Amino acid sequence: MKKRILITGGAGFIGSHLCKRLLEEGNEVISLDNYFTGSKQNIAPLLANPYFEAVRHDVTNPYFIEVDEIYNLACPASPIHYQFNAIKTIKTSVMGAINMLGLAKRLNVKILQASTSEIYGDPEIHPQTESYWGNVNPIGIRSCYDEGKRCAETLFMDYHRMNNVQIKIIRIFNTYGPNMHPNDGRVVSNFIIQALKNQDITLYGDGSQTRSFQYVDDLVDGMIKMMASPKDIIGPINIGNPNEFTIRELAQEIIKLTNSKSKIILLPLPSDDPKQRQPNIEAAKLALDWEPQIQLQEGLKKTIEYFKNL
Ligand code: NAD
Ligand code: UDP
């Protein structure tokens, strides 16, 4: 059945892939975005579809519309961008959640929150399971994002407990792929662009910190499965690829895949940079019958092709 679906942050990296997939599945899609980090270019190929609408709107202000489902993604996700205006980042997470939860309550529809592995901060439990409460610095330079997202989870749970709103919370781990913002400073886009230009690869710290990278198509599958899951599955559920690499290994892999002449240089590690991160995805396997299908080399090749053509 054709559904009308609202996606906040629909012009962003992940949002644009989600809009495309939901349209392909025969739905009507409305993207709500203020284009802070997203771009019209990301959604330009979708504009020819009469069932797609792009609305310029800031989610810190209420928005009223009739829809069947809401995906709440609006929030800058890269450290450079979310630290650019830290107060605005918290407002987006918290007021955006309140406005969208209010809409879901009024319409009595499902709402999915794009939460994050940053909920776990610099984790003392490895790999991270959903039951872990996290180790977040509440006053550091990453707090505007981490604490904003933690507060959004609280709001989702309280709207569910108090008003019976049908919520779905996923905690997304580092995701990469086409449509990433070339200047947002995230590690995969930085390294690919540097490697393609034969420039120095900027490794922060000694490169021994780890991350687990998920290709965006796998994430979109997980998001759609979560939204379609039975009512009692509310999460939070980790969605990520448990394949863990050091950042140095990532740099070496990208140099190899691009045949680059780039050299690795070491720069200072930003403060509060988590030392390790790896999702435990048993809950997603069990509840959603989901696990990632695309491994690092294959995903990197597709992403490198995208940046080559930019
Ligand atoms: P992105 O920056 O590309 O997308 C965010 C989108 O939200 C952009 O289009 C931006 O313009 C829009 N936006 C920001 N503030 C807004 C506001 N006040 N009103 C309306 N629109 C606003 O980032 P992304 O990587 O696509 O992330 C999407 C969501 O997924 C975010 O909520 C992020 O926290 C979450 N997430 C992403 C990752 C990742 O690795 N990419 C990991 C964990 C969680
Ligand atoms: N990083 C790096 N060089 C870069 C960009 C990032 O070494 O040019 C490191 C960064 O310090 C962190 C990891 O790569 O340890 C992932 O950074 P990103 O900003 O992509 O994501 P997050 O820290 O939010 O997981």
Side-chain angles (χ1 to χ4, degrees), residues 115-123 128 136 145-146 153 170-174 211 238-239 274 277-279:
S115 191
T116 167
S117 54
E118 298 285 330
I119 294 292
Y120 303 121
D122 191 3
Q128 292 77 55
V136 172
Y145 183 72
D146 300 6
E153 284 199 7
I170 56 166
R171 291 184 178 154
I172 303 170
F173 282 65
N174 291 63
R211 293 291 187 274
N238 290 338
I239 301 286
R277 201 182 283 142
Q278 183 190 29

Coordinates of all heavy atoms in Angstrom, one line a residue, residues 115-123 128 136 145-146 153 170-174 211 238-239 274 277-279:
S115 N 19.1 7.7 16.0 CA 20.1 8.0 17.1 C 21.5 7.5 16.7 O 21.7 7.2 15.5 CB 19.6 7.3 18.4 OG 20.3 7.8 19.5
T116 N 22.4 7.4 17.6 CA 23.8 7.3 17.2 C 24.6 6.4 18.2 O 24.2 6.4 19.4 CB 24.4 8.6 17.0 OG1 25.8 8.5 16.9 CG2 24.1 9.6 18.2
S117 N 25.6 5.9 17.7 CA 26.6 5.2 18.6 C 27.2 6.1 19.6 O 27.8 5.7 20.6 CB 27.6 4.5 17.8 OG 28.2 5.4 16.9
E118 N 27.2 7.4 19.3 CA 27.8 8.5 20.2 C 27.1 8.4 21.6 O 27.6 9.0 22.5 CB 27.7 9.9 19.6 CG 28.4 10.0 18.3 CD 29.9 10.1 18.4 OE1 30.4 10.6 19.5 OE2 30.6 9.7 17.5
I119 N 25.9 7.8 21.6 CA 25.2 7.6 22.9 C 26.2 6.9 23.9 O 26.1 7.2 25.1 CB 24.0 6.7 22.6 CG1 22.9 7.5 21.8 CG2 23.4 6.2 24.0 CD1 22.3 8.6 22.4
Y120 N 27.1 6.1 23.3 CA 28.0 5.3 24.2 C 29.2 6.1 24.5 O 30.0 5.6 25.3 CB 28.3 4.0 23.5 CG 27.2 3.1 23.1 CD1 26.9 2.7 21.8 CD2 26.3 2.7 24.1 CE1 25.8 2.0 21.4 CE2 25.2 1.9 23.7 CZ 24.9 1.6 22.4 OH 23.8 0.8 22.1
G121 N 29.4 7.2 23.9 CA 30.6 8.1 24.2 C 31.9 7.3 23.9 O 32.0 6.6 22.9
D122 N 32.9 7.4 24.9 CA 34.1 6.7 24.8 C 33.9 5.4 25.6 O 34.1 5.4 26.8 CB 35.3 7.5 25.3 CG 36.6 6.9 25.0 OD1 36.7 5.9 24.3 OD2 37.6 7.4 25.5
P123 N 33.5 4.3 24.9 CA 32.9 3.2 25.7 C 33.8 2.4 26.5 O 34.9 2.1 26.0 CB 32.2 2.4 24.5 CG 33.0 2.7 23.3 CD 33.5 4.1 23.5
Q128 N 29.7 -2.7 21.9 CA 28.7 -2.0 22.6 C 27.3 -2.7 22.4 O 26.9 -2.9 21.3 CB 28.6 -0.5 22.2 CG 29.8 0.3 22.6 CD 31.0 0.1 21.7 OE1 30.8 0.2 20.5 NE2 32.1 -0.2 22.2
V136 N 29.8 9.3 28.4 CA 29.8 10.5 27.6 C 30.2 11.7 28.5 O 29.8 11.8 29.7 CB 28.4 10.8 27.1 CG1 28.3 12.2 26.4 CG2 28.0 9.8 26.1
Y145 N 26.3 17.3 20.5 CA 25.7 16.2 19.7 C 25.3 15.0 20.5 O 24.2 14.6 20.5 CB 26.8 15.8 18.6 CG 26.3 14.7 17.6 CD1 25.4 15.0 16.6 CD2 26.8 13.4 17.7 CE1 25.0 14.1 15.7 CE2 26.4 12.5 16.8 CZ 25.5 12.8 15.8 OH 25.1 11.8 14.9
D146 N 26.3 14.6 21.3 CA 26.0 13.3 22.1 C 24.9 13.5 23.1 O 23.9 12.7 23.2 CB 27.3 12.9 22.9 CG 28.5 12.7 22.1 OD1 28.4 12.9 20.9 OD2 29.5 12.3 22.6
E153 N 16.5 10.6 22.7 CA 16.1 9.2 23.1 C 15.2 9.3 24.3 O 14.1 8.6 24.3 CB 17.3 8.3 23.4 CG 18.0 7.9 22.1 CD 18.9 6.6 22.4 OE1 18.8 6.0 23.5 OE2 19.6 6.2 21.4
I170 N 16.8 3.7 16.5 CA 17.9 2.9 16.1 C 19.2 3.7 16.4 O 19.2 4.9 16.3 CB 17.9 2.5 14.6 CG1 17.8 3.8 13.7 CG2 16.9 1.5 14.3 CD1 18.2 3.5 12.3
R171 N 20.2 3.0 16.8 CA 21.5 3.7 17.1 C 22.5 3.3 15.9 O 22.9 2.2 15.8 CB 22.1 3.2 18.4 CG 21.3 3.7 19.6 CD 21.9 3.3 20.9 NE 21.1 3.8 22.0 CZ 21.0 3.3 23.2 NH1 21.7 2.2 23.5 NH2 20.3 3.9 24.1
I172 N 22.7 4.3 15.1 CA 23.5 4.1 13.9 C 25.0 4.2 14.2 O 25.4 5.2 14.9 CB 23.1 5.2 12.8 CG1 21.6 5.1 12.6 CG2 23.9 5.0 11.6 CD1 21.0 6.3 11.7
F173 N 25.8 3.3 13.7 CA 27.2 3.4 13.8 C 27.8 3.9 12.5 O 27.1 4.0 11.5 CB 27.8 2.0 14.1 CG 27.6 1.5 15.6 CD1 26.4 1.3 16.1 CD2 28.7 1.4 16.4 CE1 26.2 1.0 17.4 CE2 28.6 1.0 17.7 CZ 27.3 0.8 18.2
N174 N 29.1 4.4 12.6 CA 29.7 5.1 11.4 C 29.2 4.5 10.1 O 29.4 3.3 9.8 CB 31.2 5.0 11.5 CG 31.8 5.8 12.7 OD1 31.5 5.5 13.8 ND2 32.6 6.8 12.3
R211 N 37.1 2.0 14.5 CA 35.7 2.3 14.1 C 35.2 1.0 13.3 O 36.0 0.3 12.8 CB 35.6 3.5 13.3 CG 35.9 4.8 13.9 CD 34.9 5.2 15.0 NE 35.2 6.5 15.5 CZ 36.1 6.8 16.5 NH1 36.8 5.8 17.1 NH2 36.2 8.1 16.9
N238 N 20.9 -1.3 17.9 CA 22.2 -0.9 17.1 C 22.0 -1.3 15.7 O 21.7 -2.5 15.4 CB 23.4 -1.7 17.7 CG 23.8 -1.2 19.1 OD1 23.4 -0.1 19.5 ND2 24.5 -2.0 19.8
I239 N 22.4 -0.4 14.8 CA 22.5 -0.8 13.3 C 23.9 -0.4 12.9 O 24.2 0.8 12.8 CB 21.4 0.0 12.5 CG1 20.0 -0.4 13.0 CG2 21.5 -0.4 11.0 CD1 19.5 -1.8 12.6
P274 N 36.6 9.0 20.7 CA 36.5 7.6 21.2 C 37.6 6.7 20.7 O 38.0 6.7 19.5 CB 35.1 7.1 20.7 CG 34.3 8.4 20.5 CD 35.4 9.4 20.0
R277 N 35.2 1.5 18.8 CA 33.7 1.5 18.6 C 33.4 0.3 17.7 O 33.9 0.1 16.6 CB 33.2 2.7 18.0 CG 31.8 2.9 18.2 CD 31.2 4.1 17.6 NE 31.5 5.4 18.3 CZ 31.8 6.5 17.6 NH1 31.9 6.5 16.3 NH2 32.0 7.6 18.2
Q278 N 32.5 -0.6 18.3 CA 32.1 -1.8 17.5 C 30.7 -2.2 18.0 O 30.5 -2.4 19.2 CB 33.0 -2.9 17.7 CG 32.7 -4.1 16.9 CD 33.5 -5.4 17.3 OE1 33.9 -5.5 18.4 NE2 33.7 -6.3 16.3
P279 N 29.7 -2.3 17.1 CA 28.4 -2.6 17.5 C 28.2 -4.1 17.8 O 28.7 -4.9 17.1 CB 27.5 -2.2 16.3 CG 28.4 -2.4 15.2 CD 29.8 -2.1 15.6

